[in-house]
Amino acid sequence: ESCPECGSDDIVEDWKQGNLVCRDCGFVLQGHLVDIGSEWRTFTNEEPGADPNRVGGPANPLLESGPTTKIRDERAAAGLNRAQNRNAISASDRYLLDAFARINRIAEHYSISQRVRDRTDEIFKRYYDHLTLKPDGSRSRQLKEDETEEVIAACLSIAFRNEGQPRTLKEICALTRVTEQKIGARVKLIDTSVEGVKQANLHNSADFVARFSSRLGLPRELLNATMYVYDHAREKHGVYGRQPKSIIAACLFIVCQLGASEFRRTAKEIGKVTGVAEATVRVTYRTIH
């Protein structure tokens, strides 16, 4: 094909603009071209062909069943969706999907990072395998409702810890409505039965001090002073073995009393922020002081 204006046969297709253009004079021979090629690119050494990744949802490595084709979510197709899910997804995967959905709802409600969500899913799956998976690949049982809630809460606590964002049991209790005693007991069971979850430090005191100081409105100087007192007090006789947040609360109380009057905080105020009883703050304070 040649240009009707200058007669040149140097014609190019500009797919970005959708035009057929003469390179010599710039005359547009045709506009609104339609690209009938593939809308994606495959970077493989194999021969080009149908891309299986475009069928169904993304594969979840934590599930045992393979990916399936998604039936459109319309009211008329609701029965087909249920039938497909029953036939294509195993009972254990249905249970895991429900647990992952619960974790995701908690994470979305409290704006928890994607890294913590993914880590929670991974720990939950590994502990679920530890509890129920038999040598032949079948499952011995399904977890009960209250047991599932306990495991989710404990996995969240461990995931926060592993990602360097530790939370107190009281904070996890507020997220999940599971008691501190049950969360603590389940965390210990997971720590002893799932390999690799204890790699991070159990209690990142610097993180706790920074968060508590921020909530109390304390300046950087008092934060550093609290860390100094904590580092010297935690190994002291009568203090060693206490809960880290109790020691931190007492150290905050000490520093606040020694600081400027505008930064004075009562034991009740510090206890409310740290989740430690006022009496515990005072008892630990007297032990340190």
Side-chain angles (χ1 to χ4, degrees), residues 90-161:
S90 65
S92 61
D93 277 358
R94 283 197 298 271
Y95 171 78
L96 286 172
L97 286 171
D98 178 69
F100 295 160
R102 295 189 194 189
I103 293 169
N104 195 56
R105 284 195 296 271
I106 295 172
E108 287 185 351
H109 186 73
Y110 294 101
S111 302
I112 297 172
S113 68
Q114 188 62 46
R115 288 180 60 184
V116 174
R117 300 186 198 189
D118 294 342
R119 182 62 173 159
T120 305
D121 289 350
E122 178 193 349
I123 296 171
F124 185 94
K125 171 62 163 58
R126 292 173 63 188
Y127 185 61
Y128 175 61
D129 288 346
H130 169 77
L131 291 178
T132 65
L133 192 61
K134 296 195 293 186
D136 62 359
S138 60
R139 300 282 177 179
S140 59
R141 66 186 182 93
Q142 294 292 345
L143 304 187
K144 296 180 180 179
E145 179 69 18
D146 55 347
E147 189 176 8
T148 300
E149 292 179 355
E150 289 178 21
V151 174
I152 288 176
C155 291
L156 264 174
S157 178
I158 295 171
F160 273 120
R161 186 184 72 194

Side-chain angles (χ1 to χ4, degrees), residues 168 208 212 230 239 241-253 270 274-277 280-285 288:
T168 64
F208 283 134
F212 295 155
Y230 175 81
V239 178
R242 288 179 178 267
Q243 287 287 337
K245 66 176 182 178
S246 300
I247 304 174
I248 290 172
C251 293
L252 282 168
F253 185 60
I270 292 174
T274 59
V276 179
T280 303
V281 175
R282 294 189 179 278
V283 169
T284 310
Y285 160 74
I288 296 173

Side-chain angles (χ1 to χ4, degrees), residues 245-263:
K245 66 176 182 178
S246 300
I247 304 174
I248 290 172
C251 293
L252 282 168
F253 185 60
I254 292 172
V255 170
C256 287
Q257 302 316 304
L258 298 175
S261 58
E262 60 182 305
F263 298 122

Side-chain angles (χ1 to χ4, degrees), residues 27-235:
F27 181 76
V28 178
L29 283 73
Q30 186 177 348
H32 304 293
L33 296 176
V34 178
D35 187 355
I36 60 174
S38 173
E39 62 177 305
W40 70 91
R41 299 175 67 185
T42 304
F43 298 94
T44 66
N45 294 326
E46 301 175 359
E47 291 295 323
D51 187 355
N53 293 322
R54 297 183 58 78
V55 179
N60 189 334
L62 299 179
L63 300 180
E64 298 168 0
S65 304
T68 60
T69 301
K70 173 70 175 176
I71 300 175
R72 53 186 180 157
D73 292 324
E74 294 183 4
R75 195 170 298 176
L80 293 176
N81 269 316
R82 287 194 295 270
Q84 181 196 38
N85 289 336
R86 283 196 300 268
N87 294 329
I89 304 177
S90 65
S92 61
D93 277 358
R94 283 197 298 271
Y95 171 78
L96 286 172
L97 286 171
D98 178 69
F100 295 160
R102 295 189 194 189
I103 293 169
N104 195 56
R105 284 195 296 271
I106 295 172
E108 287 185 351
H109 186 73
Y110 294 101
S111 302
I112 297 172
S113 68
Q114 188 62 46
R115 288 180 60 184
V116 174
R117 300 186 198 189
D118 294 342
R119 182 62 173 159
T120 305
D121 289 350
E122 178 193 349
I123 296 171
F124 185 94
K125 171 62 163 58
R126 292 173 63 188
Y127 185 61
Y128 175 61
D129 288 346
H130 169 77
L131 291 178
T132 65
L133 192 61
K134 296 195 293 186
D136 62 359
S138 60
R139 300 282 177 179
S140 59
R141 66 186 182 93
Q142 294 292 345
L143 304 187
K144 296 180 180 179
E145 179 69 18
D146 55 347
E147 189 176 8
T148 300
E149 292 179 355
E150 289 178 21
V151 174
I152 288 176
C155 291
L156 264 174
S157 178
I158 295 171
F160 273 120
R161 186 184 72 194
N162 287 172
E163 294 300 326
Q165 308 167 31
R167 298 293 184 267
T168 64
L169 293 182
K170 188 166 186 177
E171 289 174 308
I172 300 297
C173 175
L175 296 179
T176 60
R177 310 302 180 191
V178 180
T179 64
E180 294 181 49
Q181 293 80 5
K182 291 182 178 180
I183 298 173
R186 187 66 66 172
V187 166
K188 291 180 180 178
L189 290 174
I190 296 175
D191 280 342
T192 57
S193 58
V194 179
E195 184 180 356
V197 298
K198 293 183 69 175
Q199 291 177 350
N201 293 329
L202 291 179
H203 301 285
N204 189 335
S205 55
D207 179 81
F208 283 134
V209 171
R211 289 195 293 117
F212 295 155
S213 297
S214 175
R215 293 177 186 177
L216 290 167
L218 303 180
R220 184 73 188 181
E221 294 78 13
L222 294 187
L223 186 156
N224 294 334
T226 303
M227 279 302 306
Y228 178 83
V229 175
Y230 175 81
D231 289 338
H232 287 77
R234 60 182 175 179
E235 301 295 333

